[in-house]
Amino acid sequence: MTLQLRMGRVKWFDNNKGYGLIVARDIEQEVYVNKKAIANTKNKALTEGQDVEFSVIKTAAGLEAADVIGF
């Protein structure tokens, strides 16, 4: 497992389903995000267009966000 710290912006996030996509700034690639990965909010929610800092985990399914901090 390789962790890389990235900055990005929330493309969309479905609060009811608890997942969405982040676009990483430096690689301009979509990264899956699950509400379990959100570190700094009690309600574990993100909003479209919100700036975030996160780690990227490369999985068999693609890139996944971890330790997400929203600003």
Side-chain angles (χ1 to χ4, degrees):
M1 177 170 56
T2 303
L3 293 177
Q4 300 172 325
L5 191 61
R6 305 274 188 209
M7 294 296 294
R9 183 163 283 162
V10 178
K11 181 174 183 178
W12 64 269
F13 191 84
D14 187 317
N15 289 318
N16 294 325
K17 295 180 180 178
Y19 64 86
L21 291 175
I22 295 171
V23 177
R25 288 189 186 148
D26 56 345
I27 57 175
E28 294 190 19
Q29 189 171 357
E30 294 179 350
V31 179
Y32 172 81
V33 60
N34 187 290
K35 70 178 182 180
K36 295 176 190 173
I38 302 170
N40 72 330
T41 62
K42 288 183 181 179
N43 63 0
K44 301 293 186 182
L46 299 170
T47 57
E48 184 178 325
Q50 183 177 7
D51 290 324
V52 291
E53 181 179 67
F54 58 99
S55 297
V56 174
I57 301 171
K58 294 180 182 178
T59 69
L63 300 180
E64 187 169 332
D67 302 320
V68 179
I69 298 172
F71 300 103

Short mmCIF file of all heavy atoms in Angstrom, two decimals:
data_model
loop_
_atom_site.label_atom_id
_atom_site.label_comp_id
_atom_site.label_asym_id
_atom_site.label_seq_id
_atom_site.Cartn_x
_atom_site.Cartn_y
_atom_site.Cartn_z
N MET A 1 0.85 -1.19 0.00
CA MET A 1 0.00 0.00 0.00
C MET A 1 0.89 1.24 0.00
O MET A 1 1.78 1.38 0.82
CB MET A 1 -0.90 -0.03 1.25
CG MET A 1 -1.77 1.17 1.37
SD MET A 1 -3.04 1.07 2.66
CE MET A 1 -2.11 0.71 4.12
N THR A 2 0.63 2.14 -0.93
CA THR A 2 1.40 3.37 -1.06
C THR A 2 0.53 4.56 -0.70
O THR A 2 -0.55 4.72 -1.26
CB THR A 2 1.90 3.53 -2.51
OG1 THR A 2 2.65 2.39 -2.87
CG2 THR A 2 2.76 4.76 -2.64
N LEU A 3 0.98 5.38 0.24
CA LEU A 3 0.24 6.58 0.63
C LEU A 3 0.94 7.81 0.06
O LEU A 3 2.15 7.96 0.18
CB LEU A 3 0.16 6.71 2.15
CG LEU A 3 -0.65 5.66 2.88
CD1 LEU A 3 -0.56 5.89 4.38
CD2 LEU A 3 -2.09 5.69 2.45
N GLN A 4 0.15 8.69 -0.57
CA GLN A 4 0.66 9.94 -1.10
C GLN A 4 -0.29 11.04 -0.67
O GLN A 4 -1.50 10.91 -0.83
CB GLN A 4 0.73 9.89 -2.62
CG GLN A 4 1.63 8.79 -3.14
CD GLN A 4 1.51 8.64 -4.65
OE1 GLN A 4 0.46 8.82 -5.22
NE2 GLN A 4 2.62 8.30 -5.27
N LEU A 5 0.24 12.13 -0.11
CA LEU A 5 -0.59 13.25 0.33
C LEU A 5 -0.92 14.14 -0.86
O LEU A 5 -0.04 14.51 -1.63
CB LEU A 5 0.13 14.05 1.42
CG LEU A 5 -0.71 15.08 2.15
CD1 LEU A 5 -1.88 14.41 2.86
CD2 LEU A 5 0.13 15.82 3.15
N ARG A 6 -2.20 14.47 -1.01
CA ARG A 6 -2.67 15.26 -2.15
C ARG A 6 -3.61 16.36 -1.68
O ARG A 6 -4.22 16.27 -0.62
CB ARG A 6 -3.47 14.39 -3.12
CG ARG A 6 -2.77 13.18 -3.63
CD ARG A 6 -1.94 13.51 -4.81
NE ARG A 6 -1.44 12.27 -5.39
CZ ARG A 6 -0.31 12.18 -6.05
NH1 ARG A 6 0.42 13.24 -6.23
NH2 ARG A 6 0.09 11.04 -6.55
N MET A 7 -3.75 17.38 -2.53
CA MET A 7 -4.77 18.40 -2.36
C MET A 7 -5.75 18.21 -3.49
O MET A 7 -5.39 17.77 -4.58
CB MET A 7 -4.17 19.81 -2.45
CG MET A 7 -3.20 20.15 -1.33
SD MET A 7 -3.96 20.18 0.29
CE MET A 7 -5.06 21.57 0.13
N GLY A 8 -7.03 18.53 -3.23
CA GLY A 8 -8.02 18.37 -4.28
C GLY A 8 -9.31 19.09 -3.95
O GLY A 8 -9.38 19.85 -2.98
N ARG A 9 -10.31 18.82 -4.77
CA ARG A 9 -11.62 19.44 -4.61
C ARG A 9 -12.68 18.35 -4.79
O ARG A 9 -12.55 17.49 -5.65
CB ARG A 9 -11.79 20.54 -5.66
CG ARG A 9 -13.12 21.27 -5.51
CD ARG A 9 -13.11 22.58 -6.23
NE ARG A 9 -12.33 23.50 -5.41
CZ ARG A 9 -11.81 24.63 -5.84
NH1 ARG A 9 -11.95 24.99 -7.08
NH2 ARG A 9 -11.13 25.41 -5.03
N VAL A 10 -13.73 18.44 -3.97
CA VAL A 10 -14.81 17.47 -4.05
C VAL A 10 -15.59 17.69 -5.34
O VAL A 10 -16.10 18.78 -5.59
CB VAL A 10 -15.76 17.59 -2.83
CG1 VAL A 10 -16.92 16.61 -2.94
CG2 VAL A 10 -14.98 17.37 -1.54
N LYS A 11 -15.66 16.65 -6.18
CA LYS A 11 -16.44 16.73 -7.42
C LYS A 11 -17.91 16.57 -7.09
O LYS A 11 -18.75 17.33 -7.54
CB LYS A 11 -15.98 15.66 -8.40
CG LYS A 11 -16.71 15.69 -9.72
CD LYS A 11 -16.13 14.71 -10.69
CE LYS A 11 -16.84 14.80 -12.04
NZ LYS A 11 -16.23 13.88 -13.01
N TRP A 12 -18.23 15.54 -6.30
CA TRP A 12 -19.59 15.34 -5.79
C TRP A 12 -19.50 14.40 -4.59
O TRP A 12 -18.55 13.65 -4.45
CB TRP A 12 -20.54 14.79 -6.86
CG TRP A 12 -20.18 13.43 -7.39
CD1 TRP A 12 -19.38 13.16 -8.46
CD2 TRP A 12 -20.58 12.16 -6.87
NE1 TRP A 12 -19.27 11.80 -8.64
CE2 TRP A 12 -20.00 11.17 -7.68
CE3 TRP A 12 -21.37 11.76 -5.80
CZ2 TRP A 12 -20.18 9.81 -7.44
CZ3 TRP A 12 -21.55 10.40 -5.57
CH2 TRP A 12 -20.97 9.45 -6.40
N PHE A 13 -20.49 14.50 -3.72
CA PHE A 13 -20.57 13.62 -2.55
C PHE A 13 -22.03 13.43 -2.19
O PHE A 13 -22.76 14.40 -2.02
CB PHE A 13 -19.81 14.23 -1.36
CG PHE A 13 -19.64 13.26 -0.22
CD1 PHE A 13 -18.60 12.35 -0.22
CD2 PHE A 13 -20.54 13.24 0.83
CE1 PHE A 13 -18.44 11.45 0.81
CE2 PHE A 13 -20.39 12.34 1.86
CZ PHE A 13 -19.33 11.44 1.86
N ASP A 14 -22.47 12.18 -2.14
CA ASP A 14 -23.85 11.84 -1.78
C ASP A 14 -23.89 11.56 -0.28
O ASP A 14 -23.41 10.51 0.17
CB ASP A 14 -24.33 10.63 -2.58
CG ASP A 14 -25.79 10.34 -2.38
OD1 ASP A 14 -26.28 10.41 -1.22
OD2 ASP A 14 -26.47 10.04 -3.38
N ASN A 15 -24.45 12.48 0.49
CA ASN A 15 -24.49 12.33 1.95
C ASN A 15 -25.34 11.14 2.37
O ASN A 15 -25.06 10.51 3.39
CB ASN A 15 -25.01 13.60 2.61
CG ASN A 15 -24.02 14.73 2.52
OD1 ASN A 15 -22.83 14.53 2.71
ND2 ASN A 15 -24.48 15.92 2.19
N ASN A 16 -26.39 10.82 1.63
CA ASN A 16 -27.25 9.68 1.98
C ASN A 16 -26.54 8.35 1.76
O ASN A 16 -26.68 7.44 2.58
CB ASN A 16 -28.55 9.72 1.17
CG ASN A 16 -29.41 10.91 1.54
OD1 ASN A 16 -29.45 11.33 2.69
ND2 ASN A 16 -30.08 11.48 0.56
N LYS A 17 -25.80 8.24 0.68
CA LYS A 17 -25.09 6.99 0.38
C LYS A 17 -23.72 6.93 1.03
O LYS A 17 -23.17 5.85 1.22
CB LYS A 17 -24.97 6.80 -1.13
CG LYS A 17 -26.33 6.61 -1.79
CD LYS A 17 -26.19 6.42 -3.28
CE LYS A 17 -27.57 6.24 -3.89
NZ LYS A 17 -27.48 6.09 -5.35
N GLY A 18 -23.15 8.09 1.34
CA GLY A 18 -21.88 8.13 2.07
C GLY A 18 -20.63 7.97 1.23
O GLY A 18 -19.60 7.53 1.72
N TYR A 19 -20.71 8.34 -0.04
CA TYR A 19 -19.51 8.27 -0.87
C TYR A 19 -19.57 9.32 -1.99
O TYR A 19 -20.61 9.93 -2.21
CB TYR A 19 -19.31 6.88 -1.46
CG TYR A 19 -20.41 6.44 -2.41
CD1 TYR A 19 -20.37 6.77 -3.76
CD2 TYR A 19 -21.48 5.68 -1.96
CE1 TYR A 19 -21.37 6.38 -4.62
CE2 TYR A 19 -22.48 5.27 -2.81
CZ TYR A 19 -22.42 5.62 -4.16
OH TYR A 19 -23.41 5.24 -5.01
N GLY A 20 -18.43 9.49 -2.65
CA GLY A 20 -18.36 10.46 -3.74
C GLY A 20 -17.02 10.41 -4.42
O GLY A 20 -16.27 9.44 -4.28
N LEU A 21 -16.69 11.50 -5.12
CA LEU A 21 -15.42 11.59 -5.84
C LEU A 21 -14.72 12.91 -5.53
O LEU A 21 -15.36 13.95 -5.40
CB LEU A 21 -15.65 11.51 -7.35
CG LEU A 21 -16.10 10.17 -7.91
CD1 LEU A 21 -16.38 10.30 -9.41
CD2 LEU A 21 -15.06 9.09 -7.67
N ILE A 22 -13.41 12.82 -5.44
CA ILE A 22 -12.54 13.98 -5.28
C ILE A 22 -11.67 14.04 -6.53
O ILE A 22 -11.24 13.01 -7.04
CB ILE A 22 -11.63 13.82 -4.04
CG1 ILE A 22 -12.46 13.81 -2.76
CG2 ILE A 22 -10.58 14.93 -3.99
CD1 ILE A 22 -11.66 13.44 -1.53
N VAL A 23 -11.40 15.24 -7.02
CA VAL A 23 -10.44 15.40 -8.12
C VAL A 23 -9.15 15.92 -7.51
O VAL A 23 -9.12 17.02 -6.94
CB VAL A 23 -10.97 16.37 -9.20
CG1 VAL A 23 -9.92 16.58 -10.28
CG2 VAL A 23 -12.27 15.84 -9.80
N ALA A 24 -8.09 15.13 -7.61
CA ALA A 24 -6.79 15.53 -7.10
C ALA A 24 -6.19 16.58 -8.00
O ALA A 24 -6.21 16.45 -9.22
CB ALA A 24 -5.87 14.31 -7.01
N ARG A 25 -5.66 17.66 -7.44
CA ARG A 25 -5.14 18.78 -8.24
C ARG A 25 -3.91 18.42 -9.06
O ARG A 25 -3.82 18.77 -10.23
CB ARG A 25 -4.81 19.96 -7.33
CG ARG A 25 -6.03 20.63 -6.81
CD ARG A 25 -5.68 21.92 -6.11
NE ARG A 25 -6.89 22.45 -5.51
CZ ARG A 25 -6.93 23.15 -4.40
NH1 ARG A 25 -5.81 23.40 -3.75
NH2 ARG A 25 -8.06 23.60 -3.92
N ASP A 26 -2.96 17.75 -8.46
CA ASP A 26 -1.69 17.52 -9.14
C ASP A 26 -1.74 16.42 -10.20
O ASP A 26 -0.92 16.40 -11.10
CB ASP A 26 -0.57 17.26 -8.14
CG ASP A 26 -0.87 16.11 -7.21
OD1 ASP A 26 -2.04 15.68 -7.14
OD2 ASP A 26 0.06 15.63 -6.55
N ILE A 27 -2.69 15.50 -10.09
CA ILE A 27 -2.77 14.43 -11.08
C ILE A 27 -4.05 14.51 -11.91
O ILE A 27 -4.22 13.75 -12.85
CB ILE A 27 -2.65 13.03 -10.43
CG1 ILE A 27 -3.72 12.82 -9.36
CG2 ILE A 27 -1.26 12.80 -9.90
CD1 ILE A 27 -3.76 11.44 -8.76
N GLU A 28 -4.94 15.44 -11.57
CA GLU A 28 -6.22 15.63 -12.25
C GLU A 28 -6.91 14.31 -12.54
O GLU A 28 -7.31 14.01 -13.66
CB GLU A 28 -6.04 16.46 -13.52
CG GLU A 28 -5.61 17.88 -13.20
CD GLU A 28 -5.65 18.80 -14.39
OE1 GLU A 28 -6.33 18.46 -15.37
OE2 GLU A 28 -5.01 19.84 -14.32
N GLN A 29 -7.00 13.50 -11.51
CA GLN A 29 -7.64 12.20 -11.60
C GLN A 29 -8.69 12.09 -10.51
O GLN A 29 -8.52 12.63 -9.42
CB GLN A 29 -6.59 11.10 -11.44
CG GLN A 29 -7.11 9.72 -11.72
CD GLN A 29 -5.97 8.71 -11.76
OE1 GLN A 29 -4.81 9.05 -11.63
NE2 GLN A 29 -6.33 7.46 -11.92
N GLU A 30 -9.78 11.39 -10.80
CA GLU A 30 -10.83 11.22 -9.81
C GLU A 30 -10.43 10.14 -8.81
O GLU A 30 -9.86 9.11 -9.17
CB GLU A 30 -12.14 10.83 -10.50
CG GLU A 30 -12.68 11.95 -11.36
CD GLU A 30 -13.97 11.58 -12.07
OE1 GLU A 30 -14.36 10.41 -12.07
OE2 GLU A 30 -14.58 12.50 -12.64
N VAL A 31 -10.72 10.43 -7.54
CA VAL A 31 -10.38 9.53 -6.45
C VAL A 31 -11.66 9.25 -5.67
O VAL A 31 -12.35 10.18 -5.24
CB VAL A 31 -9.32 10.16 -5.52
CG1 VAL A 31 -8.97 9.24 -4.37
CG2 VAL A 31 -8.07 10.55 -6.31
N TYR A 32 -11.98 7.98 -5.47
CA TYR A 32 -13.16 7.57 -4.71
C TYR A 32 -12.97 7.96 -3.24
O TYR A 32 -11.88 7.80 -2.68
CB TYR A 32 -13.35 6.06 -4.83
CG TYR A 32 -14.42 5.50 -3.93
CD1 TYR A 32 -15.76 5.58 -4.29
CD2 TYR A 32 -14.10 4.90 -2.72
CE1 TYR A 32 -16.75 5.07 -3.47
CE2 TYR A 32 -15.08 4.38 -1.89
CZ TYR A 32 -16.41 4.47 -2.27
OH TYR A 32 -17.38 3.97 -1.44
N VAL A 33 -14.05 8.45 -2.61
CA VAL A 33 -14.00 8.76 -1.18
C VAL A 33 -15.24 8.20 -0.49
O VAL A 33 -16.35 8.37 -0.96
CB VAL A 33 -13.86 10.29 -0.92
CG1 VAL A 33 -15.02 11.08 -1.52
CG2 VAL A 33 -13.72 10.58 0.56
N ASN A 34 -15.02 7.51 0.61
CA ASN A 34 -16.09 6.97 1.45
C ASN A 34 -16.16 7.81 2.71
O ASN A 34 -15.13 8.31 3.18
CB ASN A 34 -15.80 5.51 1.80
CG ASN A 34 -16.95 4.86 2.53
OD1 ASN A 34 -17.24 5.17 3.68
ND2 ASN A 34 -17.61 3.94 1.86
N LYS A 35 -17.34 7.96 3.29
CA LYS A 35 -17.48 8.78 4.49
C LYS A 35 -16.61 8.31 5.63
O LYS A 35 -16.21 9.08 6.48
CB LYS A 35 -18.95 8.87 4.93
CG LYS A 35 -19.53 7.60 5.49
CD LYS A 35 -20.95 7.81 5.93
CE LYS A 35 -21.54 6.55 6.53
NZ LYS A 35 -22.91 6.77 6.96
N LYS A 36 -16.26 7.03 5.67
CA LYS A 36 -15.38 6.50 6.72
C LYS A 36 -13.99 7.11 6.66
O LYS A 36 -13.26 7.10 7.64
CB LYS A 36 -15.28 4.98 6.59
CG LYS A 36 -16.57 4.26 6.84
CD LYS A 36 -16.40 2.78 6.60
CE LYS A 36 -17.74 2.08 6.61
NZ LYS A 36 -17.62 0.67 6.21
N ALA A 37 -13.61 7.66 5.49
CA ALA A 37 -12.28 8.23 5.31
C ALA A 37 -12.20 9.69 5.76
O ALA A 37 -11.11 10.25 5.82
CB ALA A 37 -11.87 8.12 3.85
N ILE A 38 -13.34 10.31 6.09
CA ILE A 38 -13.36 11.72 6.47
C ILE A 38 -12.92 11.86 7.93
O ILE A 38 -13.54 11.27 8.82
CB ILE A 38 -14.76 12.34 6.25
CG1 ILE A 38 -15.16 12.18 4.78
CG2 ILE A 38 -14.77 13.80 6.66
CD1 ILE A 38 -16.61 12.53 4.51
N ALA A 39 -11.88 12.64 8.15
CA ALA A 39 -11.27 12.69 9.47
C ALA A 39 -11.73 13.85 10.35
O ALA A 39 -11.68 13.75 11.57
CB ALA A 39 -9.74 12.76 9.32
N ASN A 40 -12.19 14.96 9.79
CA ASN A 40 -12.35 16.15 10.63
C ASN A 40 -13.76 16.68 10.79
O ASN A 40 -13.93 17.80 11.23
CB ASN A 40 -11.44 17.28 10.12
CG ASN A 40 -11.92 17.88 8.82
OD1 ASN A 40 -12.54 17.20 8.01
ND2 ASN A 40 -11.65 19.15 8.61
N THR A 41 -14.78 15.92 10.44
CA THR A 41 -16.14 16.40 10.69
C THR A 41 -16.95 15.35 11.42
O THR A 41 -16.77 14.16 11.19
CB THR A 41 -16.88 16.77 9.37
OG1 THR A 41 -16.98 15.60 8.56
CG2 THR A 41 -16.14 17.86 8.60
N LYS A 42 -17.82 15.79 12.29
CA LYS A 42 -18.65 14.86 13.05
C LYS A 42 -19.68 14.16 12.18
O LYS A 42 -19.99 13.00 12.37
CB LYS A 42 -19.37 15.59 14.18
CG LYS A 42 -18.47 16.00 15.30
CD LYS A 42 -19.25 16.65 16.41
CE LYS A 42 -18.32 17.09 17.53
NZ LYS A 42 -19.04 17.74 18.62
N ASN A 43 -20.23 14.89 11.19
CA ASN A 43 -21.28 14.30 10.37
C ASN A 43 -20.74 13.50 9.18
O ASN A 43 -21.52 12.94 8.42
CB ASN A 43 -22.25 15.38 9.87
CG ASN A 43 -21.57 16.40 8.98
OD1 ASN A 43 -20.38 16.33 8.71
ND2 ASN A 43 -22.35 17.35 8.51
N LYS A 44 -19.42 13.44 9.01
CA LYS A 44 -18.80 12.65 7.95
C LYS A 44 -19.37 12.97 6.58
O LYS A 44 -19.72 12.09 5.80
CB LYS A 44 -18.92 11.15 8.24
CG LYS A 44 -18.30 10.71 9.54
CD LYS A 44 -16.79 10.86 9.48
CE LYS A 44 -16.17 10.26 10.74
NZ LYS A 44 -14.74 10.42 10.75
N ALA A 45 -19.47 14.27 6.27
CA ALA A 45 -20.03 14.71 5.00
C ALA A 45 -19.10 15.73 4.33
O ALA A 45 -18.35 16.44 5.00
CB ALA A 45 -21.40 15.33 5.21
N LEU A 46 -19.16 15.77 3.01
CA LEU A 46 -18.43 16.75 2.22
C LEU A 46 -19.42 17.45 1.30
O LEU A 46 -20.51 16.94 1.07
CB LEU A 46 -17.35 16.05 1.37
CG LEU A 46 -16.27 15.30 2.14
CD1 LEU A 46 -15.43 14.46 1.19
CD2 LEU A 46 -15.38 16.26 2.91
N THR A 47 -19.02 18.61 0.78
CA THR A 47 -19.90 19.33 -0.14
C THR A 47 -19.18 19.55 -1.46
O THR A 47 -17.95 19.66 -1.51
CB THR A 47 -20.32 20.70 0.43
OG1 THR A 47 -19.16 21.46 0.73
CG2 THR A 47 -21.15 20.54 1.69
N GLU A 48 -19.96 19.60 -2.53
CA GLU A 48 -19.40 19.81 -3.86
C GLU A 48 -18.59 21.10 -3.90
O GLU A 48 -19.02 22.13 -3.39
CB GLU A 48 -20.55 19.89 -4.87
CG GLU A 48 -20.09 20.01 -6.30
CD GLU A 48 -21.24 20.02 -7.28
OE1 GLU A 48 -22.25 19.33 -7.03
OE2 GLU A 48 -21.12 20.73 -8.28
N GLY A 49 -17.39 21.02 -4.46
CA GLY A 49 -16.51 22.19 -4.57
C GLY A 49 -15.64 22.44 -3.35
O GLY A 49 -14.79 23.32 -3.37
N GLN A 50 -15.82 21.68 -2.29
CA GLN A 50 -15.04 21.86 -1.06
C GLN A 50 -13.59 21.44 -1.30
O GLN A 50 -13.31 20.40 -1.92
CB GLN A 50 -15.65 21.02 0.06
CG GLN A 50 -14.98 21.17 1.40
CD GLN A 50 -15.69 20.38 2.49
OE1 GLN A 50 -16.61 19.60 2.24
NE2 GLN A 50 -15.27 20.59 3.71
N ASP A 51 -12.64 22.24 -0.80
CA ASP A 51 -11.22 21.89 -0.86
C ASP A 51 -10.91 20.86 0.21
O ASP A 51 -11.40 20.98 1.34
CB ASP A 51 -10.34 23.12 -0.66
CG ASP A 51 -10.39 24.08 -1.83
OD1 ASP A 51 -10.48 23.59 -2.98
OD2 ASP A 51 -10.34 25.30 -1.60
N VAL A 52 -10.09 19.88 -0.15
CA VAL A 52 -9.73 18.82 0.78
C VAL A 52 -8.26 18.46 0.65
O VAL A 52 -7.64 18.68 -0.39
CB VAL A 52 -10.59 17.54 0.56
CG1 VAL A 52 -12.03 17.77 0.96
CG2 VAL A 52 -10.51 17.06 -0.87
N GLU A 53 -7.72 17.93 1.74
CA GLU A 53 -6.39 17.34 1.75
C GLU A 53 -6.61 15.87 2.10
O GLU A 53 -7.43 15.56 2.96
CB GLU A 53 -5.52 18.02 2.80
CG GLU A 53 -4.11 17.47 2.86
CD GLU A 53 -3.28 18.20 3.90
OE1 GLU A 53 -3.58 18.06 5.10
OE2 GLU A 53 -2.34 18.90 3.50
N PHE A 54 -5.89 14.98 1.44
CA PHE A 54 -6.14 13.56 1.66
C PHE A 54 -4.95 12.73 1.23
O PHE A 54 -4.08 13.18 0.47
CB PHE A 54 -7.38 13.12 0.88
CG PHE A 54 -7.31 13.36 -0.60
CD1 PHE A 54 -6.97 12.34 -1.47
CD2 PHE A 54 -7.55 14.61 -1.12
CE1 PHE A 54 -6.89 12.56 -2.84
CE2 PHE A 54 -7.47 14.85 -2.49
CZ PHE A 54 -7.13 13.82 -3.34
N SER A 55 -4.92 11.52 1.71
CA SER A 55 -3.93 10.54 1.27
C SER A 55 -4.58 9.69 0.19
O SER A 55 -5.80 9.50 0.18
CB SER A 55 -3.51 9.63 2.42
OG SER A 55 -2.88 10.39 3.43
N VAL A 56 -3.78 9.18 -0.72
CA VAL A 56 -4.27 8.33 -1.79
C VAL A 56 -3.75 6.92 -1.58
O VAL A 56 -2.56 6.71 -1.37
CB VAL A 56 -3.81 8.85 -3.17
CG1 VAL A 56 -4.21 7.88 -4.27
CG2 VAL A 56 -4.40 10.21 -3.44
N ILE A 57 -4.67 5.97 -1.62
CA ILE A 57 -4.31 4.56 -1.53
C ILE A 57 -4.62 3.94 -2.88
O ILE A 57 -5.71 4.09 -3.41
CB ILE A 57 -5.13 3.84 -0.44
CG1 ILE A 57 -4.89 4.49 0.92
CG2 ILE A 57 -4.79 2.36 -0.41
CD1 ILE A 57 -5.81 3.99 2.00
N LYS A 58 -3.64 3.25 -3.44
CA LYS A 58 -3.86 2.54 -4.71
C LYS A 58 -4.40 1.16 -4.38
O LYS A 58 -3.75 0.37 -3.71
CB LYS A 58 -2.55 2.45 -5.49
CG LYS A 58 -2.05 3.80 -5.95
CD LYS A 58 -0.75 3.70 -6.72
CE LYS A 58 -0.27 5.08 -7.11
NZ LYS A 58 1.00 5.03 -7.83
N THR A 59 -5.62 0.89 -4.85
CA THR A 59 -6.25 -0.42 -4.62
C THR A 59 -6.48 -1.11 -5.96
O THR A 59 -6.30 -0.50 -7.03
CB THR A 59 -7.61 -0.26 -3.90
OG1 THR A 59 -8.54 0.36 -4.80
CG2 THR A 59 -7.48 0.56 -2.63
N ALA A 60 -6.91 -2.34 -5.93
CA ALA A 60 -7.20 -3.08 -7.15
C ALA A 60 -8.33 -2.41 -7.94
O ALA A 60 -8.38 -2.48 -9.16
CB ALA A 60 -7.58 -4.52 -6.83
N ALA A 61 -9.23 -1.73 -7.24
CA ALA A 61 -10.36 -1.04 -7.89
C ALA A 61 -9.99 0.36 -8.39
O ALA A 61 -10.79 0.99 -9.07
CB ALA A 61 -11.53 -0.96 -6.92
N GLY A 62 -8.84 0.87 -8.01
CA GLY A 62 -8.43 2.22 -8.42
C GLY A 62 -7.92 3.02 -7.23
O GLY A 62 -7.54 2.45 -6.21
N LEU A 63 -7.96 4.33 -7.35
CA LEU A 63 -7.49 5.20 -6.28
C LEU A 63 -8.59 5.46 -5.27
O LEU A 63 -9.73 5.71 -5.63
CB LEU A 63 -6.99 6.53 -6.87
CG LEU A 63 -5.85 6.44 -7.85
CD1 LEU A 63 -5.47 7.83 -8.35
CD2 LEU A 63 -4.63 5.76 -7.24
N GLU A 64 -8.21 5.42 -3.99
CA GLU A 64 -9.18 5.66 -2.91
C GLU A 64 -8.57 6.66 -1.93
O GLU A 64 -7.38 6.59 -1.62
CB GLU A 64 -9.51 4.35 -2.21
CG GLU A 64 -10.63 4.48 -1.20
CD GLU A 64 -11.12 3.14 -0.70
OE1 GLU A 64 -11.03 2.15 -1.43
OE2 GLU A 64 -11.59 3.11 0.44
N ALA A 65 -9.40 7.58 -1.45
CA ALA A 65 -8.96 8.60 -0.50
C ALA A 65 -8.98 8.05 0.93
O ALA A 65 -9.83 7.25 1.28
CB ALA A 65 -9.84 9.83 -0.59
N ALA A 66 -8.02 8.52 1.73
CA ALA A 66 -7.95 8.17 3.15
C ALA A 66 -7.58 9.43 3.92
O ALA A 66 -6.99 10.36 3.37
CB ALA A 66 -6.91 7.08 3.39
N ASP A 67 -7.92 9.48 5.20
CA ASP A 67 -7.56 10.61 6.06
C ASP A 67 -7.93 11.95 5.43
O ASP A 67 -7.12 12.87 5.35
CB ASP A 67 -6.07 10.59 6.41
CG ASP A 67 -5.66 9.31 7.09
OD1 ASP A 67 -6.44 8.82 7.93
OD2 ASP A 67 -4.57 8.78 6.79
N VAL A 68 -9.17 12.07 4.98
CA VAL A 68 -9.65 13.27 4.28
C VAL A 68 -9.93 14.39 5.28
O VAL A 68 -10.65 14.19 6.26
CB VAL A 68 -10.92 12.95 3.47
CG1 VAL A 68 -11.43 14.20 2.76
CG2 VAL A 68 -10.66 11.83 2.47
N ILE A 69 -9.37 15.56 5.02
CA ILE A 69 -9.61 16.74 5.84
C ILE A 69 -10.19 17.82 4.94
O ILE A 69 -9.56 18.23 3.96
CB ILE A 69 -8.32 17.25 6.50
CG1 ILE A 69 -7.76 16.16 7.41
CG2 ILE A 69 -8.58 18.54 7.27
CD1 ILE A 69 -6.39 16.47 7.98
N GLY A 70 -11.41 18.26 5.25
CA GLY A 70 -12.08 19.30 4.46
C GLY A 70 -11.81 20.67 5.01
O GLY A 70 -11.64 20.85 6.22
N PHE A 71 -11.75 21.66 4.13
CA PHE A 71 -11.53 23.06 4.52
C PHE A 71 -12.73 23.90 4.23
O PHE A 71 -13.45 23.68 3.30
CB PHE A 71 -10.32 23.64 3.76
CG PHE A 71 -9.04 22.88 4.01
CD1 PHE A 71 -8.55 22.00 3.07
CD2 PHE A 71 -8.36 23.05 5.19
CE1 PHE A 71 -7.37 21.31 3.29
CE2 PHE A 71 -7.16 22.35 5.42
CZ PHE A 71 -6.68 21.48 4.47
#
